[in-house]
Amino acid sequence: MDSPPLTPPNLPLSAAEKVILRWDSTASEEAREKMIFDCDRHEVDLYLQAVDEIQRSISSTSISDDTNQVNPAVQIAMARLEDEFRNILISHTIPIEADSLTEQDLEQQPSSSSSPIHREAIDGESNYVNDEGNKLFRFNSEGTCSNVSVNSSYRSTSSIREIDLIPSEAVYDLRCIAERMISSGYLRECIQVYGSVRKSAVDSSFRKLGIEKLSIGDVQRLEWEQLETKIRRWIRAAKVCVRTLFASEKRLCEQIFDGVGTCIDDACFMETVKGPAIQLFNFAEAISISRRSPEKLFKILDLHDALMNLMPDIDFVFDCKSSDSIRVQAAEILSRLAEAARGILSEFENAVLREPSKVPVPGGTIHPLTRYVMNYISLISDYKVTLNELIVSKPSTGSRYSGDPSTPDMDFEEIEGQTPLAIHLIWIIVILQFNLDGKCKHYKDASLSHLFIMNNVHYIVQKVRGSAELREMIGDDYLRKLTGKFRQAATSYQRATWVGVLHCLRDEGLHVSGGFSSGVSKSALRERFKAFNAMFEEVHRTQCVWLIPDSQLREELRISISEKLIPAYRSFLGRFRSHIESGRHPENYIKYSVEDLEDDVLDFFEGIPVSPHLRRRSN
Amino acid sequence: MSMDHDSELDDLEFFQKHVSDRFSDLLSSTIEDPSSEPLLSIAWLRKLLDDFLCCEAEFKAVLLMGRDPSQISKPPLDKLIPEFLERTIKALDLCNAVTLGIDAVKNLQRLAEIAVSSLEQAPIGDGQVRRAKKALSSLVTAMLHEDKDGGIVKGTERNRSFGRRGGNNAAANNKGNFRSLSWNMARNWSAAKQIHAMSSNLYTPRGGESTGLAMPVYIMSSVLVFVMWTLVAAIPCQERNGLGTHSPFPRQLAWAQPMIGLQEKIAEEWKKKEKKGSVGLLEEMQKMDKVGQSLIDFAESFQFPAEAEKLEEVKGQVEELAEICTKMEEGLEPLQQQIREVFHRVVRSRAEFLLVLEQAGKLSAPPM
């Protein structure tokens, strides 16, 4: 934007002074009531010409001549220009609608935290800019001024989108004034005025964006759920602030001050945005130093990722020396967020290890801890791209082979070729099991504690198998180990419950030596039947209430029980029922038919109590 | 066993002594050589912050190094440390508020620089005087307004006439400039209230507790409160009305004597200035205020050409103002950086203490 050629011919000095004095706002009411730059162009040009003439005469006359005549004129002119400058800035600021500041972006994010993607309806009034960068802007031109052009420029980072804050004619006028103020040595006043007006414009945009002023104390006190909402809002707002708001302010400074002296545009820019930028980042900083607890991990990662994506834009917008502190602060916050994420993971591992609940879960089913942990590490695998970069060292909780009974042993070297993050996940599963192993001891019934382990480890396996990322990170080796463990638990359960029951159906001890007539001790046989009935009834009664939530596992275990129980009973019945039936009250001893047993096995592990009266009997 | 106990005692005693020594130094530097580091000057504040960082480092060493971490989680520390950490949060907010306040001071510096540059040109003509007066009026007006919105100007200064010429518009607009900076802290946040809250639950350990770890915690808390209080007294920041001036420290504590001495001196200044409605005790600002008022007087009575001796006097004052600006130019930015360092250090220590407490299971277990 070049100044127009000076209006010839030159204005004589006395005439120039008259013009200046006419517009001295301290001297006349009339001068106070009107603004020069609101008048027609002729008036404006005349004034500027007068200023130029005064300046010219100062530089050409020697110091002592008429100093006091020309001097005051300069000051009066500069004071006037300062007011004009302020007035143009204030009255020509394009009012930005709140929703036109909203940047809907279509960036990819982890599925669990995808930002809502919606496009706003276009109405006839607004200019609609949609570009290949997939960014959408609605720019409402219902401002107070006439020619508004949406000027979207592409810079080196494709995500920066500047908008016009002040229409170009006003910018031109501002530049005219700035040049003259600065060449008269009134740079400081110029920066002051510019900074104070633009700063309140930025403040008002902040309010429209809903950027809150929260102290660190406030952030510590708020509930995490409330903070999650605020973080989400902050991420949206920060993108708009850096990529549009600050970038546009920077461009405005360049438009007005570029070439008019060194680094003045930088000074004005910093004057305008330093405070607001610090205010913006203070929130993220407050989050980064908040107390660590596991539920915060994922929002903190969101915040970290958002800030990291914003860094190139921050570096671009705040590229001058005087804005070092802002870039440094942003980098500090980023690294604190990373540290927080690491700390939270560690904290989570501790919490899993220490989780103290002793009340056994009824029915031996899946413990809430197991669900929580597996959901948590599922989410971790969703965030694995970021976390793989942040987590670079192996778990420190617990020590290998420390001999400390309160932590499990694990040799991390065994797990080859896995990322540190994956090792952490495996470790988490290890300590989960360790914790569960402790919990299962609270069951009075050993069978139930085995069932409990079986249920929970199986659940772990299912969750891992159900997620491709998890499976890849946990690895098939460890998965095999886990599978083995729950099968082992199933076997232990069967041994604990059924060995005793099947013991009733064994052959030894029933035959008496000697004598042809009866090879079988009737009394022993009766005892056996009674014992079997009692045991089975007890087992049936108790274990119907137990639960195996996974239907397939439930089926498998029942089949496995049946496979051992039914043939054994069938053969026992077959061999010995005649001996009982030949005696008195056989119904007291043979209470179950094979079909009865088959039916009853189906009741097992349903979690539903069975009333003994409902038991079908067949003779 | 007794050897360990002795060396432990030495640790705590040394800490106490070092704190006392540092503050004693700070106090004496204002008495012996007041021109180099006057009380509450930028240089003195920087020294104060340096001392704070040293105390803090030693405190952490005393409490965490070479000690069984579970000691931190035993009574009475299991209650005292979380209280201390609460105070550190307030200190962090105060650091931010003071940093913002320093930005406001930088603004005053720039206004003063306008006055300096216009009055430095010889010979002094009407134009320069008007320019200087405009800038100085804004400066002094800004200084008079206390830091809340719609601040009530105290005292007689409200009626002071700056003259209807030239100064008004700029003054009005720069008032807004000053106030808008203070809106950057959260609404209803008050520096005075924060300081008050920090000191309200500060109790001197008695009896048996006074020989254990409770004492260094108390000492460090006191240092923290004092440093924050001093910063707030010196630098304008949001809502300092009601800043307490009573010493929260009992007089009989030997190690606290220098701190109490400093606190009394500063409190006295504060009370004096509070009546006049002036804005910050920062020594450079006080000087700027005085010189500024005097130059405004000169400007109001100025007629070209001025008498030689008057001009000589003004020349001296302008030089003084220029020197203040230089001190600010050189010292304010480093001061802000130091405060930032304090911020970082407090955050770091806080995290370390939290970790120790959490590992000892003393903090509420995270919800599962």
Side-chain angles (χ1 to χ4, degrees):
Chain A
M1 283 192 231
D2 305 306
S3 319
L6 288 170
T7 346
N10 286 345
L11 208 55
L13 183 58
S14 52
E17 283 174 0
K18 275 219 190 74
V19 173
I20 302 293
L21 288 170
R22 183 156 52 88
W23 286 102
D24 181 354
S25 58
T26 65
S28 87
E29 193 67 38
E30 194 201 330
R32 269 197 291 277
E33 279 171 4
K34 274 196 305 186
M35 299 307 291
I36 303 175
F37 278 80
D38 284 344
C39 305
D40 60 49
R41 205 70 215 169
H42 169 74
E43 202 66 49
V44 173
D45 286 342
L46 183 63
Y47 193 84
L48 290 176
Q49 204 186 353
V51 173
D52 290 339
E53 185 53 44
I54 303 282
Q55 282 183 327
R56 221 194 332 267
S57 76
I58 287 192
S59 47
S60 59
T61 41
S62 61
I63 305 276
S64 50
D65 296 355
D66 297 328
T67 315
N68 202 42
Q69 258 192 307
V70 179
N71 239 304
V74 170
Q75 193 276 334
I76 294 169
M78 289 301 127
R80 182 72 206 199
L81 283 180
E82 187 184 320
D83 288 344
E84 296 285 332
F85 194 80
R86 180 182 297 111
N87 185 56
I88 298 174
L89 270 179
I90 292 176
S91 56
H92 291 270
T93 297
I94 300 174
I96 299 179
E97 297 303 311
D99 41 11
S100 70
L101 276 177
T102 315
E103 178 180 342
Q104 290 104 354
D105 63 330
L106 306 171
E107 289 170 9
Q108 293 310 308
Q109 287 197 332
S111 51
S112 48
S113 65
S114 51
S115 46
I117 301 167
H118 55 273
R119 293 171 187 273
E120 296 202 24
I122 313 158
D123 63 18
E125 299 257 294
S126 41
N127 295 325
Y128 187 144
V129 176
N130 186 5
D131 52 46
E132 313 85 74
N134 279 337
K135 310 254 185 266
L136 198 81
F137 260 115
R138 193 181 75 160
F139 187 81
N140 191 324
S141 59
E142 280 172 359
T144 55
C145 35
S146 48
N147 282 340
V148 175
S149 60
V150 176
N151 188 359
S152 208
S153 56
Y154 289 72
R155 303 261 198 157
S156 54
T157 70
S158 60
S159 42
I160 300 266
R161 290 286 177 269
E162 295 111 335
I163 56 177
D164 279 340
L165 299 169
I166 292 189
S168 44
E169 304 90 19
V171 170
Y172 171 74
D173 286 341
L174 290 168
R175 204 180 160 85
C176 287
I177 296 177
E179 281 169 353
R180 286 157 178 90
M181 283 185 80
I182 291 167
S183 60
S184 301
Y186 278 67
L187 169 62
R188 287 194 182 95
E189 279 95 337
C190 194
I191 297 179
Q192 284 272 25
V193 177
Y194 183 83
S196 71
V197 174
R198 286 316 304 168
K199 184 133 173 306
S200 33
V202 173
D203 278 344
S204 115
S205 296
F206 262 39
R207 274 195 295 278
K208 286 190 184 141
L209 281 171
I211 297 178
E212 288 178 280
K213 287 178 205 163
L214 289 171
S215 69
I216 298 177
D218 290 336
V219 168
Q220 302 310 304
R221 273 187 292 274
L222 286 172
E223 292 293 327
W224 184 249
E225 272 142 29
Q226 295 171 278
L227 285 177
E228 283 191 342
T229 315
K230 291 187 196 293
I231 291 176
R232 227 173 286 135
R233 231 186 278 148
W234 185 92
I235 291 176
R236 281 201 292 271
K239 287 183 187 150
V240 176
C241 278
V242 175
R243 291 175 176 159
T244 299
L245 205 59
F246 294 159
S248 304
E249 289 291 337
K250 186 175 159 100
R251 192 175 71 158
L252 182 61
C253 287
E254 284 169 6
Q255 286 171 337
I256 299 175
F257 295 105
D258 195 28
V260 188
T262 35
C263 296
I264 295 176
D265 54 344
D266 285 340
C268 286
F269 175 62
M270 281 315 289
E271 189 69 28
T272 305
V273 307
K274 185 173 177 205
I278 291 179
Q279 182 196 330
L280 181 69
F281 290 132
N282 275 349
F283 175 75
E285 187 154 64
I287 297 286
S288 76
I289 61 186
S290 61
R291 271 197 56 197
R292 298 169 179 180
S293 69
E295 80 267 19
K296 297 184 179 176
L297 180 63
F298 304 106
K299 255 304 155 275
I300 288 201
L301 287 176
D302 283 342
L303 191 56
H304 174 274
D305 285 346
L307 191 55
M308 193 154 83
N309 289 334
L310 220 45
M311 281 311 282
D313 302 316
I314 292 173
D315 284 339
F316 175 77
V317 167
F318 294 102
D319 62 353
C320 58
K321 180 92 182 57
S322 47
S323 54
D324 269 353
S325 59
I326 297 186
R327 261 180 299 132
V328 167
Q329 184 180 13
E332 285 165 354
I333 296 172
L334 196 62
S335 104
R336 272 213 195 96
L337 287 170
E339 230 179 277
R342 282 189 281 264
I344 292 177
L345 189 61
S346 199
E347 175 60 31
F348 174 72
E349 288 165 1
N350 258 334
V352 173
L353 189 58
R354 280 188 292 123
E355 204 278 329
S357 63
K358 288 194 171 60
V359 176
V361 164
T365 185
I366 298 167
H367 197 282
L369 179 65
T370 311
R371 283 191 211 277
Y372 179 80
V373 172
M374 293 315 292
N375 282 339
Y376 200 88
I377 67 179
S378 258
L379 273 176
I380 287 183
S381 69
D382 285 344
Y383 280 81
K384 76 172 186 198
V385 172
T386 306
L387 279 171
N388 263 328
E389 286 180 21
L390 297 184
I391 307 291
V392 296
S393 58
K394 304 198 178 90
S396 58
T397 51
S399 39
R400 300 143 39 199
Y401 306 120
S402 61
D404 175 6
S406 70
T407 55
D409 290 329
M410 177 160 145
D411 187 356
F412 296 130
E413 312 303 338
E414 283 173 359
I415 312 172
E416 281 186 21
Q418 290 284 33
T419 62
L421 179 65
I423 297 180
H424 272 271
L425 292 188
I426 298 177
W427 173 243
I428 288 172
I429 296 182
V430 166
I431 52 186
L432 172 62
Q433 289 176 84
F434 185 80
N435 192 319
L436 292 174
D437 284 342
K439 289 195 196 319
C440 79
K441 297 197 177 82
H442 299 305
Y443 288 107
K444 296 200 196 80
D445 192 332
S447 305
L448 188 54
S449 70
H450 292 305
L451 201 77
F452 173 75
I453 293 294
M454 181 194 77
N455 271 330
N456 283 271
V457 178
H458 179 262
Y459 181 81
I460 296 174
V461 170
Q462 294 298 88
K463 284 300 250 194
V464 174
R465 281 220 189 99
S467 153
E469 287 98 3
L470 259 189
R471 186 173 186 152
E472 195 227 338
M473 284 196 273
I474 303 288
D476 281 339
D477 279 346
Y478 193 68
L479 203 54
R480 234 174 281 135
K481 277 207 188 103
L482 286 173
T483 309
K485 176 154 181 182
F486 83 73
R487 290 206 204 286
Q488 174 70 28
T491 310
S492 305
Y493 154 78
Q494 291 191 68
R495 214 174 286 143
T497 295
W498 296 103
V499 160
V501 177
L502 293 174
H503 201 58
C504 303
L505 306 176
R506 74 190 180 289
D507 230 23
E508 311 84 39
L510 282 178
H511 298 278
V512 282
S513 53
F516 278 90
S517 48
S518 57
V520 167
S521 153
K522 282 226 173 81
S523 61
L525 190 59
R526 283 191 211 109
E527 287 310 304
R528 287 293 194 81
F529 267 105
K530 271 172 65 178
F532 175 83
N533 296 337
M535 275 185 154
F536 182 79
E537 187 177 332
E538 181 61 23
V539 167
H540 177 245
R541 194 183 56 82
T542 350
Q543 300 201 358
C544 294
V545 188
W546 294 3
L547 183 60
I548 300 180
D550 185 85
S551 54
Q552 197 183 341
L553 189 62
R554 192 167 58 231
E555 227 11 72
E556 277 177 25
L557 194 57
R558 291 203 284 233
I559 290 173
S560 180
I561 293 169
S562 298
E563 277 172 359
K564 297 179 187 69
L565 177 68
I566 305 298
Y569 191 74
R570 188 180 280 120
S571 124
F572 192 77
L573 255 192
R575 274 185 286 133
F576 298 116
R577 82 183 302 160
S578 49
H579 296 282
I580 296 290
E581 280 169 346
S582 63
R584 286 183 314 162
H585 299 295
E587 68 278 4
N588 287 351
Y589 305 106
I590 303 183
K591 289 196 177 163
Y592 297 95
S593 68
V594 171
E595 290 76 28
D596 285 336
L597 280 191
E598 282 172 342
D599 285 342
D600 281 354
V601 168
L602 292 177
D603 295 332
F604 275 64
F605 316 128
E606 290 286 332
I608 304 169
V610 175
S611 165
H613 300 295
L614 293 179
R615 187 162 64 78
R616 287 180 305 273
R617 285 241 218 162
S618 70
N619 293 330
Chain B
M1 220 22 219
S2 71
M3 272 258 286
D4 283 347
H5 188 60
D6 277 344
S7 71
E8 190 183 287
L9 269 182
D10 285 342
D11 245 9
L12 304 185
E13 276 173 11
F14 274 133
F15 176 61
Q16 198 167 299
K17 181 172 183 306
H18 291 160
V19 167
S20 180
D21 285 346
R22 289 190 190 107
F23 282 97
S24 178
D25 199 37
L26 277 170
L27 178 61
S28 57
S29 79
T30 69
I31 302 171
E32 285 158 11
D33 189 12
S35 56
S36 71
E37 281 169 6
L39 183 65
L40 297 184
S41 64
I42 296 175
W44 188 88
L45 286 176
R46 291 185 61 188
K47 196 145 166 276
L48 176 72
L49 291 178
D50 265 341
D51 284 344
F52 173 79
L53 289 171
C54 292
C55 291
E56 205 278 336
E58 211 179 326
F59 170 67
K60 224 167 58 170
V62 161
L63 236 61
L64 290 180
M65 274 208 254
R67 246 179 234 289
D68 175 12
S70 68
Q71 280 193 295
I72 309 298
S73 48
K74 295 206 189 83
L77 288 192
D78 64 336
K79 186 160 139 321
L80 294 177
I81 297 271
E83 280 176 358
F84 172 73
L85 293 178
E86 269 303 308
R87 288 186 201 108
T88 61
I89 290 284
K90 297 183 169 61
L92 291 177
D93 275 324
L94 286 162
C95 283
N96 282 346
V98 169
T99 300
L100 282 174
I102 295 179
D103 278 338
V105 177
K106 281 185 182 168
N107 212 48
L108 299 175
Q109 174 201 333
R110 283 184 222 121
L111 287 170
E113 281 168 353
I114 293 176
V116 165
S117 77
S118 54
L119 292 177
E120 261 176 353
Q121 301 164 24
I124 298 182
D126 271 331
Q128 289 141 319
V129 170
R130 285 173 63 156
R131 185 183 182 192
K133 187 162 160 250
K134 190 162 177 246
L136 287 170
S137 305
S138 307
L139 174 71
V140 165
T141 312
M143 278 184 154
L144 278 182
H145 275 74
E146 254 313 296
D147 4 20
K148 41 181 183 181
D149 357 333
I152 303 162
V153 180
K154 295 192 185 139
T156 58
E157 266 65 27
R158 185 207 317 243
N159 300 319
R160 186 188 172 92
S161 145
F162 302 122
R164 297 240 85 218
R165 307 168 344 168
N168 252 350
N169 269 342
N173 281 304
N174 276 315
K175 248 192 290 180
N177 195 1
F178 198 92
R179 257 188 266 144
S180 71
L181 276 173
S182 71
W183 287 347
N184 271 335
M185 292 303 289
R187 207 167 22 129
N188 298 330
W189 188 89
S190 152
K193 288 211 192 96
Q194 296 292 308
I195 303 267
H196 179 76
M198 279 171 83
S199 49
S200 64
N201 58 355
L202 199 55
Y203 299 118
T204 323
R206 294 179 195 287
E209 282 184 356
S210 62
T211 49
L213 289 178
M215 199 55 181
V217 176
Y218 174 69
I219 295 178
M220 193 63 222
S221 290
S222 309
V223 170
L224 183 67
V225 171
F226 175 74
V227 170
M228 289 297 130
W229 178 85
T230 303
L231 283 176
V232 167
I235 310 277
C237 52
Q238 184 163 324
E239 198 49 70
R240 300 181 307 156
N241 267 342
L243 187 67
T245 48
H246 305 296
S247 168
F249 316 120
R251 305 198 153 270
Q252 63 271 23
L253 291 177
W255 61 266
Q257 292 307 315
M259 220 156 73
I260 294 176
L262 283 168
Q263 194 266 339
E264 281 174 349
K265 273 185 152 191
I266 298 173
E268 211 182 291
E269 289 301 307
W270 177 263
K271 279 188 268 217
K272 263 196 264 170
K273 298 295 175 184
E274 201 177 18
K275 288 205 202 83
K276 299 207 295 193
S278 143
V279 79
L281 292 185
L282 186 68
E283 193 255 351
E284 284 84 353
M285 272 175 69
Q286 294 298 313
K287 278 225 248 352
M288 197 180 259
D289 191 16
K290 202 158 135 263
V291 173
Q293 304 267 14
S294 163
L295 285 172
I296 290 180
D297 287 337
F298 161 72
E300 280 179 341
S301 58
F302 178 78
Q303 292 254 341
F304 181 82
E307 300 152 13
E309 43 182 71
K310 193 70 184 158
L311 285 178
E312 202 54 41
E313 192 188 319
V314 166
K315 183 159 174 277
Q317 289 179 327
V318 169
E319 274 169 10
E320 204 187 330
L321 194 58
E323 207 186 300
I324 299 172
C325 289
T326 308
K327 283 219 187 94
M328 286 187 173
E329 179 66 29
E330 290 171 353
L332 286 179
E333 187 71 34
L335 182 60
Q336 276 180 321
Q337 283 169 357
Q338 239 176 321
I339 294 182
R340 185 81 185 145
E341 211 192 308
V342 167
F343 185 94
H344 284 316
R345 186 78 80 75
V346 170
V347 167
R348 176 124 299 206
S349 301
R350 187 185 139 77
E352 288 180 34
F353 279 118
L354 280 174
L355 193 60
V356 170
L357 283 176
E358 274 164 13
Q359 279 173 347
K362 271 302 170 167
L363 298 177
S364 47
M368 284 228 150

